Coordinates of all heavy atoms in Angstrom, one line a residue:
P9 N -96.4 74.6 -51.2 CA -95.5 75.8 -51.3 C -95.6 76.6 -50.1 O -96.6 76.5 -49.3 CB -96.1 76.5 -52.5 CG -97.0 75.7 -53.2 CD -97.4 74.6 -52.3
D10 N -94.6 77.3 -49.8 CA -94.5 78.1 -48.5 C -95.6 79.1 -48.4 O -96.1 79.3 -47.4 CB -93.2 78.9 -48.5 CG -92.0 77.9 -48.1 OD1 -92.2 76.8 -47.6 OD2 -90.8 78.3 -48.4
S11 N -96.1 79.6 -49.5 CA -97.2 80.6 -49.5 C -98.5 80.0 -48.9 O -99.2 80.5 -48.1 CB -97.5 81.1 -50.9 OG -97.9 80.2 -51.7
I12 N -98.7 78.6 -49.2 CA -99.9 77.9 -48.6 C -99.7 77.7 -47.2 O -100.5 77.9 -46.3 CB -100.2 76.6 -49.5 CG1 -100.6 76.9 -50.9 CG2 -101.2 75.8 -48.7 CD1 -100.8 75.8 -51.7
N13 N -98.5 77.3 -46.8 CA -98.1 77.1 -45.3 C -98.3 78.4 -44.6 O -98.9 78.3 -43.4 CB -96.8 76.5 -45.2 CG -96.7 75.0 -45.5 OD1 -97.7 74.3 -45.4 ND2 -95.6 74.6 -45.9
I14 N -97.9 79.5 -45.2 CA -98.2 80.8 -44.5 C -99.6 81.1 -44.3 O -100.0 81.5 -43.2 CB -97.5 81.9 -45.2 CG1 -95.8 81.7 -45.2 CG2 -97.9 83.3 -44.7 CD1 -95.1 82.6 -46.1
W15 N -100.5 80.8 -45.4 CA -101.9 81.0 -45.2 C -102.5 80.2 -44.2 O -103.4 80.6 -43.4 CB -102.6 80.9 -46.6 CG -102.4 82.1 -47.5 CD1 -101.7 82.1 -48.6 CD2 -103.0 83.4 -47.2 NE1 -101.8 83.5 -49.1 CE2 -102.5 84.2 -48.3 CE3 -103.9 83.9 -46.3 CZ2 -103.0 85.5 -48.4 CZ3 -104.2 85.3 -46.4 CH2 -103.8 86.0 -47.4
R16 N -102.1 78.8 -44.1 CA -102.6 78.0 -43.1 C -102.2 78.4 -41.7 O -103.1 78.4 -40.8 CB -102.1 76.6 -43.4 CG -102.7 75.9 -44.5 CD -102.2 74.4 -44.6 NE -102.6 73.9 -45.9 CZ -102.0 73.0 -46.5 NH1 -100.8 72.5 -46.0 NH2 -102.4 72.5 -47.7
T17 N -101.0 78.8 -41.6 CA -100.6 79.3 -40.2 C -101.3 80.5 -39.9 O -101.8 80.7 -38.7 CB -99.0 79.7 -40.3 OG1 -98.3 78.4 -40.6 CG2 -98.5 80.2 -38.9
W18 N -101.6 81.5 -40.8 CA -102.3 82.7 -40.5 C -103.7 82.3 -40.2 O -104.2 82.9 -39.2 CB -102.3 83.6 -41.7 CG -103.3 84.8 -41.6 CD1 -103.0 85.9 -41.0 CD2 -104.6 84.9 -42.1 NE1 -104.1 86.8 -41.1 CE2 -105.1 86.1 -41.7 CE3 -105.4 84.0 -42.8 CZ2 -106.4 86.5 -42.1 CZ3 -106.7 84.3 -43.1 CH2 -107.2 85.5 -42.7
A19 N -104.4 81.4 -41.0 CA -105.7 81.0 -40.6 C -105.9 80.4 -39.3 O -106.8 80.7 -38.5 CB -106.2 80.1 -41.7
L20 N -105.0 79.5 -38.9 CA -105.1 78.9 -37.5 C -104.8 79.9 -36.4 O -105.5 79.9 -35.4 CB -103.9 77.8 -37.4 CG -104.2 76.5 -38.2 CD1 -102.9 75.6 -38.1 CD2 -105.3 75.8 -37.5
T21 N -103.9 80.9 -36.6 CA -103.7 81.9 -35.7 C -104.9 82.8 -35.4 O -105.3 83.1 -34.4 CB -102.5 82.8 -36.1 OG1 -101.3 81.9 -36.1 CG2 -102.2 83.9 -35.1
V22 N -105.5 83.2 -36.6 CA -106.6 84.1 -36.5 C -107.8 83.4 -35.9 O -108.6 83.9 -35.0 CB -107.0 84.7 -37.9 CG1 -108.4 85.4 -37.8 CG2 -106.0 85.7 -38.3
T23 N -108.0 82.1 -36.3 CA -109.1 81.3 -35.7 C -108.9 81.1 -34.2 O -109.9 81.3 -33.4 CB -109.1 79.9 -36.4 OG1 -109.3 80.1 -37.8 CG2 -110.2 79.1 -35.8
Y24 N -107.7 80.9 -33.8 CA -107.4 80.7 -32.3 C -107.7 82.0 -31.6 O -108.3 82.0 -30.5 CB -106.0 80.3 -32.2 CG -105.5 80.2 -30.7 CD1 -105.9 79.1 -29.9 CD2 -104.9 81.3 -30.1 CE1 -105.6 79.1 -28.6 CE2 -104.5 81.3 -28.8 CZ -104.9 80.2 -28.0 OH -104.5 80.1 -26.7
E25 N -107.2 83.1 -32.1 CA -107.4 84.4 -31.4 C -108.8 84.9 -31.4 O -109.2 85.4 -30.4 CB -106.4 85.4 -32.1 CG -105.0 85.2 -31.8 CD -104.0 86.2 -32.4 OE1 -104.5 87.2 -33.0 OE2 -102.9 86.1 -32.2
A26 N -109.5 84.5 -32.5 CA -111.0 84.9 -32.5 C -111.7 84.0 -31.5 O -112.6 84.6 -30.7 CB -111.5 84.6 -33.9
G27 N -111.4 82.8 -31.4 CA -112.0 82.0 -30.3 C -111.7 82.4 -28.9 O -112.5 82.5 -28.1
E28 N -110.4 82.8 -28.7 CA -110.0 83.3 -27.4 C -110.8 84.5 -27.0 O -111.2 84.7 -25.9 CB -108.5 83.5 -27.4 CG -107.6 82.2 -27.3 CD -107.8 81.5 -26.0 OE1 -107.5 82.1 -24.9 OE2 -108.2 80.3 -26.1
Y29 N -110.8 85.5 -27.9 CA -111.5 86.7 -27.8 C -112.9 86.5 -27.4 O -113.5 87.1 -26.5 CB -111.3 87.7 -29.0 CG -112.2 88.9 -28.8 CD1 -111.9 89.9 -28.0 CD2 -113.3 89.0 -29.7 CE1 -112.7 91.0 -27.8 CE2 -114.1 90.2 -29.6 CZ -113.8 91.2 -28.7 OH -114.6 92.3 -28.5

Side-chain angles (χ1 to χ4, degrees):
D10 286 340
S11 61
I12 292 176
N13 283 330
I14 290 169
W15 281 110
R16 285 186 192 149
T17 302
W18 171 84
L20 284 171
T21 300
V22 169
T23 301
Y24 174 80
E25 289 181 2
E28 287 292 303
Y29 171 70

